[in-house]
Amino acid sequence: MRFRLFKIKGITINIHITWLIVFFLFTWSLASGYFPAVLPGWTGAAYWAVGALATVLLFAGVLLHELAHSLVSIRRKIKVESITLFIFGGVSSIEREPQDPTSELLIALAGPLVSLVIAGISYLIATFSPEPISSALFSYLFWINLVLAGFNLIPAFPLDGGRVLRAILWKVKKDQRKATRIASAVGLVFAYLLILLGFFWLLRGDLIDGIWFIILGWFLQSSTEGSYQQLVVRQSLEGLQVLQIMSKELPMVPPNISLEQLAQEHFLDRTETSFLVAWGDQIEGIVTLSDMRKVPRDQWARETVRTVMTPLDQVEKVSPGDSTYDALMKMTARGVGRLPVMENGQIVGIITRQGLLDAIRIRAELRNRDNLGRTK
Ligand SMILES: [Zn+2]
């Protein structure tokens, strides 16, 4: 769930719904803790106003950090679709990963560098401003941007620091996969350290910091594992087209049978989780196990396949020449286990998640055998 804010240099800036919660939490903690401590004697409303202002400026800093990554990406010929601000800061939706270590290094360094510059400017304003309010506000922005740069520079992939580490290893070892593996391992170590630190804080009775560190560690752990797996999958499917692994055997059912029949005669004695729905040689749609589950069990005798199937024009499709990685991304995005392969308006085959997984496994085995051969 996200809201569109505005567009800058072709990049859409979005706000994720979780950001609203964080906005409130930050404003609340500033209005009830930090500002009353450094600016005593104000009214509650004034603390809330300056707290909200500080939070807006904090997220402006996060946005500038992300924009720095994005603008350098565009410079290095990598398209950036959008930036989304969410609970942990910002994420840029970048079309693909950098193709060379130098691009990766420059893109990764740009964000923390901008945060450090903002911290520096805030420090100067805080030091030289005669007004206590701008002094208090900019001291806070100095610290928070310093923390932002510092946290992101932790050498834990996929954080910026981890990307810097990967770029250096990539340059030295000339192997992106190996570099990612090492940077991810370091990332996991840091993730578990954060979680441990969180538990330590909890035991000391500091609930908020404890929970915050555990969530951060857990978030880092899952994104580290996710990015590494994604790279492995993408590399194993490199150069493999849908045509090469699609199945031409199409399991079909007629549209006029009941769901009861579909269950008893088709799903029960096969390993398929979905069928093409066809009347003669006219394909009408696709029916899956999860379509069936939407109908209560006691209505299966009355409902037909046609009423629950997804019509062909609404089904996500692929072409024989598409890359298998794109097909997998489509399946994941749609939450389906198979996609029909269409050519000139005709279904020519079907590509399944199982088929893709087999291809990944076989290619991984072959790659391992290659590596063994090379080390001898
Ligand atoms: Zn960053």
PDB file of all heavy atoms in Angstrom, residues 65-66 69 152 160, ligand 1:
ATOM      1  N   HIS A  65      19.089  11.211   0.145  1.00  0.00           N
ATOM      2  CA  HIS A  65      20.002  10.073   0.148  1.00  0.00           C
ATOM      3  C   HIS A  65      19.638   9.101  -0.985  1.00  0.00           C
ATOM      4  O   HIS A  65      20.482   8.717  -1.792  1.00  0.00           O
ATOM      5  CB  HIS A  65      19.897   9.384   1.528  1.00  0.00           C
ATOM      6  CG  HIS A  65      20.654   8.101   1.659  1.00  0.00           C
ATOM      7  ND1 HIS A  65      21.680   7.934   2.555  1.00  0.00           N
ATOM      8  CD2 HIS A  65      20.536   6.905   1.031  1.00  0.00           C
ATOM      9  CE1 HIS A  65      22.159   6.698   2.468  1.00  0.00           C
ATOM     10  NE2 HIS A  65      21.470   6.046   1.540  1.00  0.00           N
ATOM     11  N   GLU A  66      18.349   8.744  -1.073  1.00  0.00           N
ATOM     12  CA  GLU A  66      17.904   7.821  -2.117  1.00  0.00           C
ATOM     13  C   GLU A  66      18.049   8.437  -3.511  1.00  0.00           C
ATOM     14  O   GLU A  66      18.433   7.768  -4.462  1.00  0.00           O
ATOM     15  CB  GLU A  66      16.443   7.409  -1.900  1.00  0.00           C
ATOM     16  CG  GLU A  66      16.241   6.425  -0.769  1.00  0.00           C
ATOM     17  CD  GLU A  66      17.107   5.171  -0.880  1.00  0.00           C
ATOM     18  OE1 GLU A  66      17.227   4.619  -1.997  1.00  0.00           O
ATOM     19  OE2 GLU A  66      17.678   4.761   0.135  1.00  0.00           O
ATOM     20  N   HIS A  69      21.520   8.019  -4.842  1.00  0.00           N
ATOM     21  CA  HIS A  69      21.726   6.696  -5.454  1.00  0.00           C
ATOM     22  C   HIS A  69      21.116   6.664  -6.858  1.00  0.00           C
ATOM     23  O   HIS A  69      21.735   6.211  -7.817  1.00  0.00           O
ATOM     24  CB  HIS A  69      21.009   5.610  -4.646  1.00  0.00           C
ATOM     25  CG  HIS A  69      21.644   5.268  -3.330  1.00  0.00           C
ATOM     26  ND1 HIS A  69      22.964   4.947  -3.209  1.00  0.00           N
ATOM     27  CD2 HIS A  69      21.111   5.167  -2.078  1.00  0.00           C
ATOM     28  CE1 HIS A  69      23.218   4.669  -1.918  1.00  0.00           C
ATOM     29  NE2 HIS A  69      22.114   4.805  -1.219  1.00  0.00           N
ATOM     30  N   ASN A 152      24.004   2.906   7.159  1.00  0.00           N
ATOM     31  CA  ASN A 152      24.068   2.417   5.779  1.00  0.00           C
ATOM     32  C   ASN A 152      25.465   2.004   5.357  1.00  0.00           C
ATOM     33  O   ASN A 152      25.631   1.255   4.409  1.00  0.00           O
ATOM     34  CB  ASN A 152      23.506   3.466   4.813  1.00  0.00           C
ATOM     35  CG  ASN A 152      21.999   3.371   4.727  1.00  0.00           C
ATOM     36  OD1 ASN A 152      21.457   2.399   4.241  1.00  0.00           O
ATOM     37  ND2 ASN A 152      21.314   4.371   5.259  1.00  0.00           N
ATOM     38  N   ASP A 160      24.265  -0.109   1.797  1.00  0.00           N
ATOM     39  CA  ASP A 160      25.250   0.588   0.961  1.00  0.00           C
ATOM     40  C   ASP A 160      26.674   0.121   1.239  1.00  0.00           C
ATOM     41  O   ASP A 160      27.452  -0.134   0.320  1.00  0.00           O
ATOM     42  CB  ASP A 160      25.160   2.101   1.205  1.00  0.00           C
ATOM     43  CG  ASP A 160      23.786   2.643   0.832  1.00  0.00           C
ATOM     44  OD1 ASP A 160      23.098   1.980   0.031  1.00  0.00           O
ATOM     45  OD2 ASP A 160      23.407   3.703   1.347  1.00  0.00           O
TER      46      ASP A 160
HETATM   47 ZN    ZN B   1      21.638   4.189   0.719  1.00  0.00          ZN
END
